Amino acid sequence: MAKPKPQRIRDPVHNLIEFNSKQFEHTLWKVIQTSPFQRLRRIRQLGFSEFVFPGATHTRFAHSLGVFHTARQLMSVIEKYVNSHDQQFKDRQAEFALTAALLHDVGHGMFSHAFETLGKEFGWPMAKHEDVSQRLIREGEIAELLDGEFGNGYAANVADIIARGVPNNLYDSVVSSQFDADRLDYMQRDRLMTGVQSSGVDPTWLLANLEVAEVPTGADETSTGSVETLVLGPKAAQAAESYVLALFHLYPNVYLHKTTRGAEVLFQALMRRIVRLHGSGEGEKSGLPLRHPLLRFISEPADLQRALALDDTVFWGALPLLLEADDVEVRRLSLALRERRLTNCIDLRRRVEERLPIKSGERREQHQARTKLVCDEVIGALRELQQHDPDQPARFLLDQYVRNPYKRFQDSKSPLNQILIRLSPDKVTDMADLSPVIAHAEPFSLNRVYIFRDDTDAAGVIENIMRTKIEESAKQ
């Protein structure tokens, strides 16, 4: 039997991503050719970001290849350390982790997180990408290939890494941590493809200064347990700080851009309308035939194959049908998306923060807490208004999100999930304890309301509710 040929892929971020002719990487190359993995070509990494950044058309497919490439670089650091300390490199655990890195996003639905939000709202089992990824790895084409090449149980071990969500050992940390292959790839890829000039990272320097160290597993010095984890050398301290801040800045600049989120809430409003019509037996009023993949999934959201039939191209291909719907609301929302006639954004948090009086002796964190409470009450009131008559057209499209720039040990409960800096041979410090900037960085929080441009009264309704809630808060 002829030896398999090595394979190469030209990538805009990593240049060449190579798969050698050995059994492990040759098998992963075959995994890439499977139908579930090829489906990722039809799911864009950044969903609706193309509405703002025309170059942001890269896919989950390209990102997944980049994550594997980066994970392999991280794993080589581990192997070098283990070999230099007369320890046994755990090839099997490394292969489990590298396979998980390649397959970590295989279960994403159309428009990724925008669709996943709908899944949470409606309780759709097959809309959570981690659950779909596990199913695809544990059963079907991918599972048969992995278990056939590497032995029964291999696919289950890979799926377990994704299921845990947090690293269980040094090798897993390459797949899932605050300094993992996923982040290292998408931070570079998304910055490049959107064209934003901020949020740069220095992956070459970070990888060159990456080490392995044994650190305590507890939060205090009395801890008796320890674990080996990736750490950065002292020369990379500034680069590590820049890495955390770069990721934090990508959120307001790219992922949470008001126009991108505006397109997402339009898509979600359209899907809600289709779900409502279908649930009341009027699915055909959406303009879609009952056998359309969207309606078939809504009918059976626990069916894996119906979930896999959905991707970005299915939705965009449905737009001509949706534009001819009998339902006026479906036509309105579809036209807004197709023609990029997006809604106006009201930054509720900024407005409340500016107008909420600071009480005597009130600390910043107390004022921030009151701001959040007022925003929550305003959004709750708007949501209640819409629930009075759900058959009426969507009027207030609501958007809330909170992101911490960095998780401290008390949140992640494991040093395997931390970004650690080695200050001296026997002293390793958490990034947040070393950097006052990161230590004092507040969570990025948004509270937005999107309204249609032709709704002349909507802004006034929001203003009146907001004024009332601010006055109530000031009196308390």
Side-chain angles (χ1 to χ4, degrees):
M1 183 175 178
K3 186 178 181 180
K5 293 192 303 182
Q7 303 290 343
R8 296 183 295 181
I9 296 172
R10 181 73 77 175
D11 181 72
V13 177
H14 306 295
N15 195 2
L16 283 180
I17 297 177
E18 301 187 56
F19 289 77
N20 62 37
S21 57
K22 294 180 180 179
Q23 183 196 19
F24 174 66
E25 292 194 9
H26 179 63
T27 299
L28 293 192
W29 179 257
K30 290 195 286 186
V31 167
I32 291 169
Q33 314 313 314
T34 62
S35 177
F37 200 94
Q38 288 292 313
R39 173 179 163 273
L40 297 181
R41 291 183 183 274
R42 303 188 297 278
I43 299 175
R44 289 183 176 172
Q45 173 76 5
L46 293 183
F48 292 97
S49 286
E50 185 197 1
F51 277 39
V52 182
F53 309 102
T57 57
H58 56 301
T59 63
R60 292 275 166 186
F61 180 89
H63 166 61
S64 296
L65 296 176
V67 173
F68 168 74
H69 176 77
T70 306
R72 190 168 48 185
Q73 291 177 314
L74 294 171
M75 201 64 73
S76 68
V77 173
I78 296 174
E79 185 173 15
K80 182 180 178 181
Y81 168 84
V82 168
N83 291 338
S84 68
H85 285 70
D86 297 323
Q87 298 177 14
Q88 182 67 40
F89 181 69
K90 298 178 181 178
D91 294 279
R92 200 65 162 173
Q93 280 195 345
E95 290 177 354
F96 290 150
L98 290 173
T99 307
L102 179 69
L103 293 170
H104 77 288
D105 270 354
V106 74
H108 265 288
M110 63 178 181
F111 303 113
S112 296
H113 298 294
F115 182 70
E116 202 156 359
T117 298
L118 287 167
K120 292 178 182 178
E121 183 178 330
F122 291 112
W124 292 339
M126 289 293 97
K128 186 177 180 181
H129 79 273
E130 293 93 348
D131 291 349
V132 178
S133 294
Q134 287 184 65
R135 287 278 304 275
L136 289 173
I137 297 169
R138 294 182 193 276
E139 58 190 71
E141 191 177 357
I142 293 175
E144 290 173 9
L145 182 54
L146 293 176
D147 286 346
E149 291 283 343
F150 303 132
N152 290 335
Y154 185 96
N157 280 311
V158 173
D160 287 344
I161 294 175
I162 294 172
R164 283 192 291 269
V166 293
N168 194 45
N169 53 58
L170 173 62
Y171 299 85
D172 288 3
S173 67
V174 165
V175 184
S176 178
S177 68
Q178 293 191 94
F179 186 75
D180 59 16
D182 183 26
R183 287 169 176 79
L184 283 169
D185 180 79
Y186 76 64
M187 288 175 68
Q188 297 177 77
R189 191 173 301 276
D190 295 348
R191 178 176 182 263
L192 173 67
M193 304 309 285
T194 57
V196 298
Q197 298 303 301
S198 60
S199 299
V201 294
D202 192 350
T204 303
W205 188 247
L206 289 169
L207 287 171
N209 286 276
L210 196 59
E211 308 170 2
V212 176
E214 190 168 314
V215 300
T217 54
D220 55 54
E221 295 180 356
T222 62
S223 173
T224 57
S226 65
V227 66
E228 288 185 326
T229 187
L230 291 169
V231 302
L232 288 161
K235 292 182 179 180
Q238 294 299 319
E241 182 181 74
S242 296
Y243 164 86
V244 176
L245 295 177
L247 179 58
F248 185 48
H249 291 151
L250 273 172
Y251 273 82
N253 292 335
V254 176
Y255 307 133
L256 303 179
H257 192 286
K258 66 177 184 179
T259 305
T260 300
R261 299 285 283 195
E264 288 182 8
V265 295
L266 270 178
F267 161 74
Q268 290 164 350
L270 174 56
M271 287 294 296
R272 287 189 193 98
R273 187 64 178 178
I274 294 171
V275 169
R276 182 166 185 77
L277 288 172
H278 192 59
S280 61
E282 300 177 304
E284 289 182 325
K285 285 189 176 182
S286 68
L288 301 176
L290 293 179
R291 291 181 60 82
H292 192 277
L294 276 172
L295 296 187
R296 285 166 64 89
F297 172 79
I298 291 169
S299 297
E300 295 187 56
D303 188 294
L304 177 61
Q305 294 308 313
R306 295 198 173 186
L308 294 181
L310 300 183
D311 55 48
D312 296 7
T313 64
V314 167
F315 176 80
W316 291 122
L319 266 188
L321 298 173
L322 296 170
L323 286 164
E324 295 183 0
D326 293 333
D327 187 77
V328 175
E329 177 73 347
V330 169
R331 293 204 306 271
R332 177 178 75 130
L333 295 169
S334 300
L335 185 64
L337 275 175
R338 191 188 72 170
E339 304 298 326
R340 199 184 179 277
R341 297 175 185 172
L342 303 181
T343 49
N344 286 331
C345 175
I346 294 178
D347 190 335
L348 190 62
R349 183 176 186 83
R350 181 180 59 79
R351 293 193 181 190
V352 171
E353 198 169 34
E354 290 173 351
R355 293 165 57 177
L356 186 64
I358 298 177
K359 296 180 178 179
S360 176
E362 186 177 43
R363 298 191 305 274
R364 174 176 171 78
E365 58 268 27
Q366 293 172 318
H367 188 257
Q368 291 287 305
R370 285 204 301 131
T371 298
K372 179 184 182 303
L373 182 60
V374 170
C375 289
D376 289 345
E377 290 175 346
V378 173
I379 286 179
L382 292 172
R383 186 173 283 118
E384 189 175 335
L385 272 179
Q386 298 197 129
Q387 288 173 345
H388 281 315
D389 193 350
D391 288 325
Q392 288 300 309
R395 192 178 188 193
F396 306 104
L397 306 182
L398 310 174
D399 186 21
Q400 290 182 287
Y401 186 87
V402 178
R403 169 83 185 192
N404 279 317
Y406 182 74
K407 289 182 181 179
R408 303 295 293 266
F409 180 88
Q410 57 265 33
D411 298 316
S412 65
K413 307 299 183 186
S414 170
L416 289 161
N417 197 34
Q418 305 310 113
I419 299 177
L420 303 173
I421 309 296
R422 180 183 61 77
L423 298 180
S424 64
D426 57 352
K427 183 173 177 57
V428 174
T429 303
D430 189 290
M431 185 75 246
D433 294 327
L434 184 64
S435 167
V437 175
I438 294 172
H440 294 93
E442 296 177 350
F444 184 87
S445 178
L446 66 83
N447 293 268
R448 293 170 178 160
V449 183
Y450 291 87
I451 58 175
F452 291 88
R453 298 174 190 271
D454 58 356
D455 189 343
T456 55
D457 297 328
V461 172
I462 296 169
E463 176 66 27
N464 288 337
I465 294 174
M466 182 171 59
R467 186 188 307 116
T468 299
K469 299 301 181 183
I470 288 174
E471 289 174 354
E472 290 175 356
S473 177
K475 292 176 182 177
Q476 292 174 357

